[in-house]
Amino acid sequence: MMVVPVVGAVSVVHLLNDLIQAVLPAIYPMLKQDYALSFTQIGLITLIFQLTASVLQPAVGFYTDKHPKPALLPLGMVFTLLGLALLSLAQRYDMLLLASAMIGLGSSTFHPEASRVARMASGGRYGLAQAMFQVGGNAGSALGPLLAAMIIIPRGQGSIGWFCLFAIVGIMLLTRVSRWVVQSNARQRLGSAAKQGNGLSARQTRQALGVLALLIFSKYVYMTCLSNFYTFYLIEKFEVSVADSQLFLFLFLAAIAVGTLAGGPIGDRFGRKWVIWVSILGAAPLALMLPYSSLFGAALLTVLIGLVMSSAFSAIIVFAQELMPARVGMISGLFYGLMFGISGIAAAVLGMLADVTSIGFIFKLCAWFPLLGILAFWLPDMRRSRA
């Protein structure tokens, strides 16, 4: 049976963690104006954050698969707290980069262990538990721009310090979760289940992991374009205000939260391969229409894109965990790290492209990436492989 309080706790902290992370792109227009930054420099802030958040995640997961460290959960949020404090006090561009790196370091220690805890407490409903965990992060990503528009944009950079309260709440909750991990035997049960294997050959497993990595690439190049440059796109093409652009971004990110929550249980019932196939490839026609739509059409299409594409990530994570059940932490860290790394590199590259071309051009270019969803055809049917 699912341990709902534990899954709920890591989901809430995921909300707080990703809410804090979402402050960065939400205040990009303010930072660009205050520090006279180029799009390239904006992209580099994201790159530093995403790479810091991604590089350590597989290493943390690999280490904790063999040497459990529940205390890493609250420790990760301590790094996030320090990064937030520095971001609120920064006066130079290099301090902004350091603050971004600290927040990224917090994420790299949080995600592998928290994803493992969600699986431990799932009671066998892996897709639902992972979706609940992920939707917390997506809800935080949606609330971040909204709170930034309400609190930070009107009051300035110093008001970022108020978000430190969220990090402190996260530290308190994760301290209790780490105690549950120590006191329960959930880790031992997870280890016993891992001995059953995945029913595939080593070659099939490697091929499936490669396909999942390419699907993550296609999904997050496009999602990075929307998440980081959507506000600039709306301001440039439709001349909306900064505050109004944050509201449109909130609608998109809220749609991601709803789609993520739906994707987990659907994958549990009908199969994760089907969910991955539909969610990525199904968004392609919507993405291709977006650059040619009106303001209302853009809002509608981005909500639909968020609903459709977001259902894939929890299914991809659980699929990957089932491919390597003895390396849940490493796989979780690898795929969360891959997500962050691709997003960071894409943000930097797209920022440079936007400087030399236009925001509209990168939206037209990235609209083709969801077509790579056709690669899901080569994923094995895990339910049949276990029969």
Side-chain angles (χ1 to χ4, degrees):
M1 182 178 295
M2 181 182 293
V3 186
V4 176
V6 174
V7 177
V10 293
S11 179
V12 168
V13 179
H14 201 187
L15 183 153
L16 298 174
N17 181 81
D18 286 22
L19 183 155
I20 291 168
Q21 293 177 25
V23 167
L24 269 176
I27 63 172
Y28 281 169
M30 181 186 75
L31 295 178
K32 188 176 188 298
Q33 180 178 343
D34 292 350
Y35 290 85
L37 303 179
S38 67
F39 283 120
T40 300
Q41 288 175 305
I42 291 290
L44 284 174
I45 293 175
T46 301
L47 175 64
I48 292 295
F49 161 67
Q50 302 283 26
L51 288 182
T52 310
S54 66
V55 170
L56 292 180
Q57 286 204 45
V60 170
F62 179 79
Y63 179 77
T64 56
D65 279 332
K66 295 185 176 181
H67 307 283
K69 291 289 184 293
L72 283 178
L73 287 167
L75 180 61
M77 205 48 122
V78 170
F79 288 122
T80 300
L81 175 63
L82 295 174
L84 263 182
L86 181 59
L87 185 62
S88 69
L89 299 172
Q91 298 296 320
R92 303 190 311 271
Y93 180 67
D94 58 345
M95 293 177 68
L96 295 177
L97 294 177
L98 179 58
S100 302
M102 292 295 293
I103 296 173
L105 184 60
S107 287
S108 68
T109 53
F110 168 75
H111 282 101
E113 278 299 287
S115 182
R116 189 207 309 274
V117 168
R119 189 172 179 87
M120 285 182 194
S122 69
R125 303 177 71 183
Y126 301 127
L128 177 59
Q130 196 62 228
M132 289 175 63
F133 171 67
Q134 185 63 25
V135 81
N138 291 337
S141 296
L143 288 171
L146 187 64
L147 292 179
M150 294 171 57
I151 298 172
I152 301 173
I153 300 299
R155 295 173 178 82
Q157 184 179 341
S159 60
I160 296 172
W162 287 104
F163 286 72
C164 291
L165 296 174
F166 295 129
I168 293 171
V169 172
I171 292 169
M172 295 169 62
L173 287 173
L174 289 177
T175 299
R176 299 192 66 175
V177 169
S178 65
R179 289 174 184 165
W180 175 84
V181 173
V182 172
Q183 294 169 1
S184 72
N185 63 348
R187 185 179 288 271
Q188 287 72 24
R189 291 197 301 270
L190 197 63
S192 299
K195 295 178 182 179
Q196 299 177 10
N198 62 17
L200 302 173
S201 67
R203 181 176 178 276
Q204 289 174 313
T205 299
R206 289 194 300 269
Q207 177 179 297
L209 288 171
V211 170
L212 291 176
L214 288 172
L215 292 172
I216 286 282
F217 170 77
S218 68
K219 172 180 167 66
Y220 279 97
V221 168
Y222 185 68
M223 296 294 270
T224 296
C225 179
L226 278 177
S227 299
N228 287 272
F229 300 101
Y230 185 41
T231 53
F232 295 112
Y233 175 76
L234 294 173
I235 292 169
E236 179 179 296
K237 184 169 183 178
F238 301 109
E239 299 181 349
V240 302
S241 67
V242 172
D244 286 344
S245 71
Q246 299 295 337
L247 294 177
F248 282 102
L249 181 60
F250 168 75
L251 290 175
F252 166 65
L253 296 175
I256 289 178
V258 174
T260 299
L261 188 59
I266 291 173
D268 283 338
R269 182 169 182 179
F270 299 105
R272 279 169 262 283
K273 177 178 178 178
W274 181 85
V275 172
I276 295 168
W277 176 283
V278 172
S279 65
I280 298 179
L281 188 60
L286 304 174
L288 289 167
M289 287 190 289
L290 178 61
Y292 306 98
S293 65
S294 64
L295 178 60
F296 174 78
L300 178 61
L301 286 171
T302 50
V303 166
L304 293 175
I305 290 168
L307 288 170
V308 174
M309 286 198 82
S310 60
S311 60
F313 188 68
S314 60
I316 289 173
I317 288 290
V318 176
F319 202 113
Q321 290 173 342
E322 290 175 347
L323 287 170
M324 298 192 68
R327 293 287 183 265
V328 170
M330 184 192 74
I331 284 294
S332 299
L334 178 64
F335 276 83
Y336 275 104
L338 189 63
M339 175 190 74
F340 282 118
I342 289 171
S343 298
I345 294 170
V349 172
L350 292 175
M352 288 186 285
L353 272 177
D355 279 332
V356 299
T357 58
S358 68
I359 291 290
F361 174 79
I362 65 172
F363 270 72
K364 292 177 182 178
L365 175 66
C366 291
W368 295 94
F369 280 88
L371 289 173
L372 289 174
I374 198 171
L375 293 172
F377 175 82
W378 282 275
L379 289 174
D381 189 330
M382 296 297 292
R383 291 181 297 179
R384 186 163 59 240
S385 68
R386 291 180 173 179

